Amino acid sequence: MSSYKNVIPKRSYQERGQAKHRLYLGELEKKVDYGKRREIYKKKKKIENVLKEKIMNKNPDEFHTGMIHSRINDDTNELIKEEKVLKEEVKLKHKRDELTQQANMLYKKLKKINKAIDNYQINVPLRYIFNNSHEYYNDNEDTYVLKAENKKVKNRAAILQKRYNSLINLKKNILSHIRNIDNKYVITYKNVDGYSVIKGSGGTPYRFFAPRLR
């Protein structure tokens, strides 16, 4: 019999609503709403108890290194931290690390581009597809030019030519960026004792010479 009882759908429990003469006070709080409010209240009470315990167990002679470089504003009760004053050597070190990181990223891109260019040069017959012509040599050293008359081949050749040119231009841009980064890296040693920085002629980057070991 118990199995048959469970098959029959039970009527859902409905809580009573607000009376008409009390509608101006809003809807009555249901059990679900009370459960949510209770959970929020318990969380807040738990945090409050933890903070009270910390205040009770606080040591007035306690010292922390953050107290030296920070202070509390009395008006807004906010923590104000002083800016750290770094030495010039540390700043230069951070700058060199950033430049080396940028250069490494560019070298990774350059490696991928070189690989793509090599694939074009190996897998695609450049003289035939890019220039739409191919030369044959006879026994009498006469040259015969075979041109691609098919429109599809010509269109494909134009697309490949554009991609190849874009890769070459991208490679040039990356190399120029790497050269600029190298120049910036070398300039960081310009005013350092023992290092001598010499500017190259033309577009060559700066060169620096480390001090000799004594």
Side-chain angles (χ1 to χ4, degrees):
M1 292 296 289
S2 61
S3 61
Y4 289 112
K5 284 181 182 179
N6 294 330
V7 169
I8 299 166
K10 294 180 181 179
R11 183 183 174 186
S12 59
Y13 177 73
Q14 294 180 353
E15 299 182 27
R16 69 184 182 87
Q18 184 70 277
K20 285 184 179 180
H21 65 279
R22 291 173 59 86
L23 281 173
Y24 67 93
L25 296 172
E27 293 184 359
L28 275 177
E29 188 181 33
K30 302 296 188 289
K31 191 174 181 181
V32 179
D33 302 329
Y34 166 71
K36 290 179 181 178
R37 186 166 61 83
R38 180 184 59 195
E39 288 177 3
I40 293 166
Y41 175 77
K42 282 185 177 179
K43 283 181 182 178
K44 288 181 179 179
K45 203 71 179 173
K46 197 174 183 180
I47 294 166
E48 190 179 341
N49 292 333
V50 171
L51 292 173
K52 280 182 181 178
E53 190 177 351
K54 284 184 178 180
I55 291 166
M56 292 291 289
N57 297 329
K58 186 180 178 182
N59 185 7
D61 298 328
E62 186 180 0
F63 174 75
H64 192 267
T65 53
M67 296 177 182
I68 299 170
H69 301 289
S70 62
R71 57 189 176 82
I72 296 172
N73 192 357
D74 296 331
D75 298 331
T76 57
N77 200 16
E78 291 180 356
L79 187 68
I80 301 168
K81 292 185 178 180
E82 295 179 0
E83 294 182 359
K84 292 183 179 179
V85 180
L86 298 174
K87 295 181 181 179
E88 291 184 1
E89 296 177 358
V90 179
K91 287 181 181 178
L92 286 173
K93 189 179 179 183
H94 290 327
K95 190 175 181 181
R96 287 167 193 158
D97 291 340
E98 288 178 3
L99 291 171
T100 49
Q101 192 174 2
Q102 291 175 9
N104 290 332
M105 292 291 289
L106 289 172
Y107 276 120
K108 285 181 182 178
K109 288 182 181 178
L110 186 65
K111 191 176 180 182
K112 290 180 181 178
I113 291 165
N114 286 331
K115 192 175 181 181
I117 290 168
D118 291 338
N119 289 334
Y120 267 95
Q121 291 174 350
I122 292 167
N123 299 324
V124 180
L126 297 179
R127 296 193 67 185
Y128 178 66
I129 293 181
F130 289 175
N131 300 323
N132 293 328
S133 63
H134 189 73
E135 293 182 357
Y136 286 100
Y137 292 93
N138 200 1
D139 296 334
N140 299 326
E141 296 183 356
D142 297 330
T143 57
Y144 298 94
V145 179
L146 179 66
K147 291 186 178 180
E149 296 179 356
N150 194 355
K151 289 184 179 180
K152 289 184 179 179
V153 176
K154 287 183 179 180
N155 293 332
R156 180 65 178 166
I159 292 165
L160 290 171
Q161 183 69 45
K162 284 181 181 178
R163 288 180 184 174
Y164 186 77
N165 292 336
S166 64
L167 286 172
I168 295 294
N169 293 329
L170 190 61
K171 183 179 178 180
K172 288 179 182 177
N173 292 332
I174 287 172
L175 286 171
S176 65
H177 281 304
I178 289 169
R179 181 171 288 179
N180 291 331
I181 288 169
D182 289 339
N183 290 341
K184 289 178 183 178
Y185 186 85
V186 172
I187 288 167
T188 56
Y189 287 93
K190 196 168 186 179
N191 298 322
V192 179
D193 294 335
Y195 287 89
S196 57
V197 178
I198 300 171
K199 188 176 181 180
S201 60
T204 56
Y206 290 92
R207 294 181 181 179
F208 71 97
F209 299 93
R212 292 183 179 180
L213 296 173
R214 295 179 181 177

